[in-house]
Amino acid sequence: ALEPCGPEAAEAWAALGLSRPPPEARPALHWARREVPPCLPPRVSLPPVLSRRCVHSKASVLGDPAPGGRPQEVEILDAKTREKLCFLDKVEPHATIAEIKNLFTKTHPQWYPARQSLRLDPKGKSLKDEDVLQKLPVGTTATLYFRDLGAQISWVTVFLTEYAGPLFIYLLFYFRVPFIYGHKYDFTSSRHTVVHLACICHSFHYIKRLLETLFVHRFSHGTMPLRNIFKNCTYYWGFAAWMAYYINHPLYTPPTYGAQQVKLALAIFVICQLGNFSIHMALRDLRPAGSKTRKIPYPTKNPFTWLFLLVSCPNYTYEVGSWIGFAIMTQCLPVALFSLVGFTQMTIWAKGKHRSYLKEFRDYPPLRMPIIPFLL
């Protein structure tokens, strides 16, 4: 028996990495010497066995999914009513959730991607934008459930609004603009040094926050629900006005222990502000610009970052410490209440981040606590 030869046959076997047909293919390729010319004529189709082997070889080498092995269709249902909202045909297996959101927006422009939450289960967690379709536990037709997150606003806008308000409001009380304390106190100043020092510290804190928002922070999520900005601004602006009213009041009484108390509190405030900024810089360096990379934060050469040895969120620890220092400096009850409420909220956030670290990283340092070393 003769085996096929010539340039076309040689190219076919070369595609398989072979110089001659494998043994299992030869029975299908033998012909009598007198019936078949020594070479294949031009444009002769390869035998069925050889054709199937070429297909499988290509899938194996290139990593292409086998036919029907990956979802090519996506249906999107309403998470509440189970109504079919959209059916996407011929979706690429390597498409991300972000790309599917963009396709969904073309049929429902009122739901731009930032408003969309796509889930595998109606009551499950939202899928991440970087999740790939072919890696999800779905069948031939992927069923995703949609939930509207409501109108969105960027985190940068939220933070700038939250922090600019207290800065401006506090200064209104500090300069005693009209209709706050009475006409005889309009545009007057306090005779107590601690009042002026408190204004400097309060302004420095929020100016620092504004600059960090613009030049330091890298957000893992681009937007947040618009309704949250009203709640957040009420909290920050309301407490700023309450604190500023009493600290800058003409009848304000300075701290009990005088200059010693003020100096100690000022030292606490400055140290914690430097620590908070150092932690923000360390966290920034963990995430390259434009990415959502998550890594375990570790101490750097900066001594203020050594608190990472004991807590998962030292930025919150320093933040609470700053307000405790401010409360000691001013000896003002509204400041103490603001510190307590802030500590409660930041503890909730710190516990959530701590659980995420433990879940995501198996080698996460076991000694760390969420916000207070050895306690909480």
Side-chain angles (χ1 to χ4, degrees):
L2 292 175
E3 295 175 356
C5 59
E8 294 189 7
E11 291 177 1
W13 297 126
L16 300 176
L18 303 172
S19 59
R20 58 180 299 177
E24 65 269 20
R26 291 176 188 171
L29 299 176
H30 75 276
W31 298 277
R33 182 181 300 271
R34 61 179 178 274
E35 295 178 1
V36 180
C39 294
L40 286 174
R43 300 182 182 179
V44 171
S45 300
L46 294 175
V49 175
L50 178 59
S51 297
R52 287 197 298 270
R53 287 187 59 84
C54 286
V55 172
H56 295 320
S57 176
K58 182 179 179 181
S60 175
V61 173
L62 300 181
D64 293 339
R70 293 290 186 267
Q72 298 290 325
E73 300 174 341
V74 177
E75 62 174 359
I76 300 178
L77 309 181
D78 189 287
K80 295 181 179 179
T81 64
R82 308 296 193 276
E83 176 188 357
K84 182 181 289 189
L85 301 176
C86 181
F87 183 85
L88 304 175
D89 190 16
K90 298 181 180 179
V91 179
E92 293 293 335
H94 55 269
T96 62
I97 294 299
E99 292 171 338
I100 293 176
K101 287 182 178 180
N102 290 327
L103 294 174
F104 182 53
T105 301
K106 292 181 179 180
T107 58
H108 297 81
Q110 73 275 22
W111 293 321
Y112 45 89
R115 290 189 65 152
Q116 300 175 32
S117 169
L118 297 181
R119 316 165 183 209
L120 294 175
D121 184 83
K123 297 182 180 179
K125 294 183 179 180
S126 299
L127 295 170
K128 298 178 181 179
D129 284 350
E130 58 269 23
D131 287 340
V132 180
L133 185 59
Q134 65 181 358
K135 295 183 179 180
L136 299 177
V138 294
T140 303
T141 299
T143 300
L144 303 179
Y145 295 91
F146 161 79
R147 187 178 293 272
D148 184 13
L149 298 177
Q152 300 288 301
I153 186 173
S154 72
W155 276 101
V156 173
T157 303
V158 171
F159 279 4
L160 293 178
T161 306
E162 288 178 358
Y163 302 152
L167 176 64
F168 177 73
I169 291 172
Y170 194 99
L171 292 176
L172 293 179
F173 288 88
Y174 175 74
F175 289 111
R176 294 177 178 174
V177 298
F179 310 109
I180 293 182
Y181 298 116
H183 292 297
K184 67 177 181 177
Y185 298 110
D186 292 350
F187 300 111
T188 60
S189 60
S190 175
R191 66 181 187 275
H192 302 297
T193 303
V194 65
V195 173
H196 306 299
L197 186 59
C199 180
I200 294 173
C201 290
H202 188 276
S203 300
F204 173 81
H205 174 74
Y206 282 104
I207 291 174
K208 166 183 163 292
R209 282 195 168 190
L210 290 170
L211 294 176
E212 287 178 338
T213 300
L214 293 174
F215 304 109
V216 177
H217 292 320
R218 289 173 178 167
F219 303 98
S220 57
H221 299 286
T223 64
M224 67 177 293
L226 177 61
R227 60 181 177 274
N228 287 358
I229 193 173
F230 301 104
K231 177 181 64 177
N232 294 1
C233 287
T234 299
Y235 167 73
Y236 282 106
W237 295 15
F239 264 112
W242 193 20
M243 291 187 296
Y245 177 81
Y246 284 99
I247 295 173
N248 297 286
H249 198 283
L251 301 180
Y252 170 76
T253 303
T256 303
Y257 297 98
Q260 293 182 344
Q261 180 175 337
V262 173
K263 290 179 181 178
L264 174 62
L266 178 61
I268 295 173
F269 179 85
V270 172
I271 290 173
C272 289
Q273 286 290 295
L274 292 174
N276 180 263
F277 175 74
S278 299
I279 298 300
H280 286 164
M281 290 300 296
L283 293 174
R284 176 186 182 274
D285 293 338
L286 283 180
R287 176 176 294 163
S291 73
K292 296 183 179 181
T293 304
R294 285 176 57 86
K295 300 178 183 178
I296 299 177
Y298 287 105
T300 66
K301 295 180 180 180
N302 185 341
F304 289 108
T305 66
W306 294 352
L307 196 53
F308 269 126
L309 295 170
L310 300 176
V311 295
S312 295
C313 302
N315 52 322
Y316 295 152
T317 308
Y318 283 124
E319 178 78 8
V320 173
S322 295
W323 286 110
I324 291 176
F326 193 75
I328 296 173
M329 179 193 303
T330 58
Q331 197 170 298
C332 181
L333 180 60
V335 180
L337 292 177
F338 178 72
S339 303
L340 178 61
V341 174
F343 170 70
T344 302
Q345 180 61 67
M346 282 184 276
T347 299
I348 295 173
W349 291 337
K351 286 184 175 180
K353 290 188 176 182
H354 184 72
R355 285 193 298 268
S356 298
Y357 283 140
L358 292 174
K359 183 178 180 181
E360 186 172 356
F361 305 106
R362 294 184 178 180
D363 57 341
Y364 193 72
L367 185 63
R368 294 186 186 179
M369 299 296 287
I371 188 170
I372 299 180
F374 309 112
L375 294 176
L376 182 65

